[in-house]
Amino acid sequence: MINKQTLVRFINKYYLNGTVSSAVFNSKTSNQRLSTRFVSGDKSLLGEVHMDKWKYEDADLGVYDTEQLLKLLSVLDGEIDLSINKTGDKVFSIGLSDAYSKITYMLSDTSIINEPPYMKRVPEFELSVDITSQFISKFISGKSALPDTNTFTVVTDEIGGKISTKIVIGHAAVNTNRVTLPVTTPRFENIDTISFNANLFREVLVANKECESATLE
């Protein structure tokens, strides 16, 4: 048995409101883990998601249409049974059921789903930013207030030994509408101003709203 909402949360952490439509789920009994690696269509977002306490057999599950899977899961409630259906070594579907209903989701050949590259690890990041539940809430609200703003910017400063780091939605050299969020930096270096995709970052934060703490580096 698995809790439906636990599975839906796992899916939403890579789906990101439609940003990533296809993924391969890797089911492992050795470490009781369900995992997936994913990349957005424009290759600007790369990620990994893991879920522990997974008690199903080894298999690679090709989920081509995540939206369809989520719609099917909406039929079910509470605790659900899951089965992985195979012909020989070939996995062709998963079955999920609650006390009243049963759904079948047809899997795709994993070879037709783009394989994400592995994330490169740098020796050490220059800047580390605490991401709190308050920051998550404020960033989501700020991005909603500026729907046409596509980037957020990390701005650092150090004057007279006083450290200042801000996340700015709508940063520009000229006067603009913007949202400025001061942040705490466990690791600080005065770096060049750098910008990232605010739409994608918002979706990552929305999918992880229950997170109590995280780190942006």
Side-chain angles (χ1 to χ4, degrees):
M1 299 287 285
I2 183 172
N3 183 271
K4 170 196 158 178
Q5 288 306 319
T6 300
L7 181 58
V8 168
R9 281 173 55 200
F10 171 85
I11 293 170
N12 281 330
K13 288 180 191 303
Y14 80 81
Y15 181 58
L16 300 176
N17 196 31
T19 300
V20 179
S21 60
S22 303
V24 176
F25 295 3
N26 181 242
S27 173
K28 280 287 186 184
T29 56
S30 58
N31 56 5
Q32 293 191 335
R33 172 175 283 187
L34 181 69
S35 62
T36 188
R37 297 189 300 114
F38 60 93
V39 63
S40 60
D42 63 1
K43 305 295 194 296
S44 63
L45 175 68
L46 180 66
E48 299 179 6
V49 180
H50 306 279
M51 180 169 67
D52 295 326
K53 300 181 181 179
W54 179 259
K55 300 179 181 179
Y56 297 93
E57 63 188 290
D58 289 359
D60 288 331
L61 312 176
V63 178
Y64 187 77
D65 187 346
T66 298
E67 181 181 9
Q68 181 66 76
L69 176 57
L70 287 170
K71 286 179 178 178
L72 287 169
L73 283 169
S74 70
V75 175
L76 305 177
D77 297 313
E79 300 295 315
I80 57 178
D81 282 316
L82 183 147
S83 60
I84 298 173
N85 304 314
K86 298 180 177 179
T87 298
D89 293 332
K90 185 176 178 61
V91 181
F92 64 88
S93 73
I94 53 174
L96 302 110
S97 61
D98 62 12
Y100 306 99
S101 310
K102 180 178 181 180
I103 65 170
T104 300
Y105 179 77
M106 300 304 297
L107 299 169
S108 69
D109 191 316
T110 57
S111 64
I112 69 172
I113 298 175
N114 289 332
E115 183 177 1
Y118 284 92
M119 287 189 284
K120 296 178 180 178
R121 304 293 184 183
V122 300
E124 185 174 344
F125 287 97
E126 296 169 299
L127 185 72
S128 177
V129 176
D130 284 339
I131 301 299
T132 63
S133 57
Q134 182 183 43
F135 173 87
I136 292 173
S137 175
K138 293 293 185 182
F139 189 97
I140 292 170
S141 297
K143 181 63 185 72
S144 297
L146 297 170
D148 298 325
T149 300
N150 296 319
T151 62
F152 75 93
T153 305
V154 181
V155 181
T156 63
D157 198 7
E158 184 175 12
I159 300 176
K162 187 175 181 181
I163 293 171
S164 171
T165 305
K166 300 181 286 289
I167 303 292
V168 183
I169 306 170
H171 181 271
V174 297
N175 290 328
T176 58
N177 293 327
R178 66 184 68 185
V179 174
T180 301
L181 303 173
V183 291
T184 302
T185 52
R187 183 187 303 124
F188 176 84
E189 188 169 321
N190 197 357
I191 62 174
D192 292 338
T193 298
I194 184 170
S195 297
F196 300 95
N197 188 309
N199 299 305
L200 292 178
F201 191 55
R202 178 190 181 278
E203 294 304 334
V204 170
L205 295 180
V206 168
N208 293 277
K209 282 194 297 186
E210 81 283 5
C211 175
E212 294 180 1
S213 65
T215 304
L216 171 67
E217 296 182 306

